């Protein structure tokens, strides 16, 4: 069952929890966030590898020129 609630109502409900339950919830939410940020799918890894290999090939074939660190900083 899906329920739609404003975040304020969710916060009010969670603020009534005991300190121990709040800590448990915070630990699990933090672990969930960390896992979702650290996890990369096989497809993402394969795409990143393919992109890197294509760039390396283009550089080797003279089709791409690498920029200096100073040029990269100037772009920022």
């Amino acid at each position: 069952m899906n329920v739609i609630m404003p975040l304020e109502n969710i916060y009010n409900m969670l603020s009534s929890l005991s300190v121990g339950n709040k800590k448990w919830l915070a630990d699990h939410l933090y672990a969930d966030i960390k896992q979702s940020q650290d996890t990369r799918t096989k497809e993402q890894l394969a795409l990143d590898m393919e992109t890197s290999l294509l760039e390396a090939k283009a550089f080797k074939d003279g089709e791409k020129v690498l920029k200096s660190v100073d040029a990269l900083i100037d772009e920022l």
Side-chain angles (χ1 to χ4, degrees):
M1 176 173 84
N2 292 331
V3 177
I4 298 174
M5 293 176 63
L7 287 177
E8 184 176 335
N9 291 353
I10 294 170
Y11 177 77
N12 289 336
M13 180 180 65
L14 295 176
S15 65
S16 67
L17 294 173
S18 68
V19 172
N21 286 339
K22 286 178 184 177
K23 182 173 179 353
W24 179 91
L25 180 60
D27 290 344
H28 282 79
L29 289 172
Y30 180 76
D32 185 48
I33 290 168
K34 184 163 176 43
Q35 180 183 8
S36 67
Q37 290 175 339
D38 292 344
T39 303
R40 297 176 67 196
T41 65
K42 290 180 184 178
E43 292 81 13
Q44 288 171 322
L45 289 172
L47 182 61
D48 290 346
M49 289 173 60
E50 180 183 15
T51 301
S52 297
L53 290 172
L54 289 173
E55 286 182 359
K57 183 180 182 312
F59 174 72
K60 181 181 175 187
D61 295 343
E63 299 168 2
K64 183 173 184 141
V65 177
L66 297 179
K67 296 179 183 179
S68 68
V69 172
D70 292 332
L72 290 173
I73 291 173
D74 288 342
E75 286 183 14
L76 297 174

